[in-house]
Amino acid sequence: METFRIGGEKAVGRLGFGAMRLPTEAGPQRQASVAVARRAVELGVTLIDTAHLYGWGANEELLAEALHPYPPELLVTTKVGVAPPPPGGEADLCGRPEFLREQVEDGLRRLRVERLELLQLHRVDPQVPLADQVGTLRDLRAQGKIGHIGLSEVNVAQLQEARGIVEIASVQNRYNVLDREHEAVLEACEAAGIAFLPWRPVHPAASQDAGEIAEVAAETGATAAQVALAWLLQRSPVMLPIPGTAGIAHLEENVAAAYLRLSGEQYDRLDRLAAP
Ligand SMILES: NC(=O)c1ccc[n+]([C@@H]2O[C@H](COP(=O)([O-])OP(=O)(O)OC[C@H]3O[C@@H](n4cnc5c(N)ncnc54)[C@H](OP(=O)(O)O)[C@@H]3O)[C@@H](O)[C@H]2O)c1
């Protein structure tokens, strides 16, 4: 599998895995989730995405149960910045420095590591200056608790502001062949060599507008999900899709997409499905 160096350092395979949809409740479902995470690593996946938000730490704990001690080539990245709901309330963004520090400590403990190689700010909290949020992560990096810093769901202005404070190694925004809202952010990442982790990468395969995707799939002998992933990988060298699944069959299918090459004509047909 082709690789990309996060922050110019650690090389990871460009086709990652998103762990968000792995059930964590005790019993057979948890065992199935553990098996999916282990199979991902067996298949050569070296980038796995989780977040404190996914089960308020339960997803991080599941990954540690499945994969710790981690193979040296594996990078498990997590996200902070969303607070659990208070009794009777709703979950909310929280970018206050003391809260971010606490969630990073929680992530270190739950993932059983001394350093989070890539820590992403899940959302920018509009109530807290960005300099305070990103500055807190910069301080944690200086203390050795974080390797590289990433952002999620940011626009170009936020990305540039953050880059004025600290090196940004990754951006995780919603993006796929049918949803190109963040084209400008992708271009900014490409220009700066920043990894772009598109979330919801497989979704177009199930969409009502998947006709053209299905046609290309038929031509290549691949599935629509594989074509959607292959298009992303060909879109930019900084693109690192993190498809999620709770099943081994879909996992195997998705990882195999790392080796699917669309022709220039097929790529262009798909490119025209959504206006950038
Ligand atoms: N930063 C953010 O704000 C944010 C937000 C959402 C997600 N994420 C991250 O991005 C990852 C991916 O996002 P996502 O789960 O929303 O989108 P996705 O990976 O595009 O879609 C996952 C869905 O597609 C199905 N699927 C997966 N592979 C398939 C295949 N080969 N054929 C048919 N269906 C398939 C899965 O169902 P099955 O389980 O049945 O396979 C699941 O319902 C998440 O795991 C998470 O790590 C980040």
Side-chain angles (χ1 to χ4, degrees):
M1 189 185 303
E2 266 183 44
T3 58
F4 179 89
R5 285 189 185 277
I6 302 279
E9 288 182 359
K10 189 166 173 79
V12 295
R14 287 187 53 211
L15 202 287
F17 173 69
M20 180 183 80
R21 293 177 188 269
L22 292 178
T24 54
E25 51 272 26
Q29 273 197 306
R30 187 176 184 90
Q31 289 321 307
S33 295
V34 165
V36 169
R38 289 184 179 157
R39 183 73 184 129
V41 172
E42 264 171 31
L43 291 169
V45 168
T46 50
L47 173 65
I48 297 185
D49 179 72
T50 180
H52 184 268
L53 170 67
Y54 308 158
W56 308 115
N59 197 268
E60 295 173 331
E61 282 170 355
L62 174 84
L63 291 178
E65 178 186 327
L67 302 173
H68 190 275
Y70 305 106
E73 62 278 12
L74 178 64
L75 189 156
V76 178
T77 173
T78 191
K79 303 189 276 298
V80 296
V82 187
E90 285 183 11
D92 204 359
L93 306 188
C94 185
R96 282 185 283 109
E98 66 278 14
F99 181 78
L100 296 180
R101 281 194 287 271
E102 190 185 308
Q103 281 201 329
V104 165
E105 291 297 338
D106 286 348
L108 289 166
R109 181 173 44 79
R110 293 196 169 109
L111 285 166
R112 302 183 215 162
V113 290
E114 290 178 1
R115 193 166 98 131
L116 298 165
E117 291 302 330
L118 175 64
L119 189 277
Q120 306 158 97
L121 183 64
H122 210 144
R123 290 287 184 280
V124 172
D125 181 348
Q127 312 292 338
V128 178
L130 183 60
D132 290 356
Q133 300 174 67
V134 177
T136 301
L137 302 185
R138 181 195 53 206
D139 296 346
L140 288 164
R141 194 184 67 171
Q143 291 165 24
K145 299 195 177 204
I146 293 175
H148 293 283
I149 297 166
L151 304 171
S152 176
E153 286 298 296
V154 287
N155 59 35
V156 173
Q158 289 168 324
L159 172 60
Q160 302 307 16
E161 187 186 341
R163 291 183 67 215
I165 299 161
V166 71
E167 296 83 4
I168 297 298
S170 72
V171 168
Q172 185 173 134
N173 278 14
R174 197 187 65 228
Y175 183 91
N176 61 51
V177 63
L178 297 179
D179 180 352
R180 313 272 288 278
E181 182 189 336
H182 293 298
E183 201 72 45
V185 180
L186 168 61
E187 279 165 17
C189 287
E190 191 173 311
I194 294 171
F196 185 87
L197 280 59
W199 60 269
R200 205 166 285 171
V202 166
H203 189 69
S207 130
Q208 288 179 336
D209 303 321
E212 196 75 41
I213 303 174
E215 272 181 36
V216 173
E219 289 165 21
T220 54
T223 66
Q226 289 175 320
V227 167
L229 291 169
W231 182 88
L232 282 171
L233 290 167
Q234 278 174 242
R235 170 64 187 83
S236 168
V238 302
M239 188 84 76
L240 277 64
I242 43 169
T245 177
I248 286 192
H250 281 167
L251 171 73
E252 291 175 345
E253 187 181 319
N254 295 344
V255 176
Y259 307 97
L260 172 65
R261 186 82 201 162
L262 305 176
S263 71
E265 183 272 330
Q266 289 166 332
Y267 175 89
D268 289 343
R269 265 158 61 202
L270 298 173
D271 194 49
R272 287 193 290 274
L273 290 179

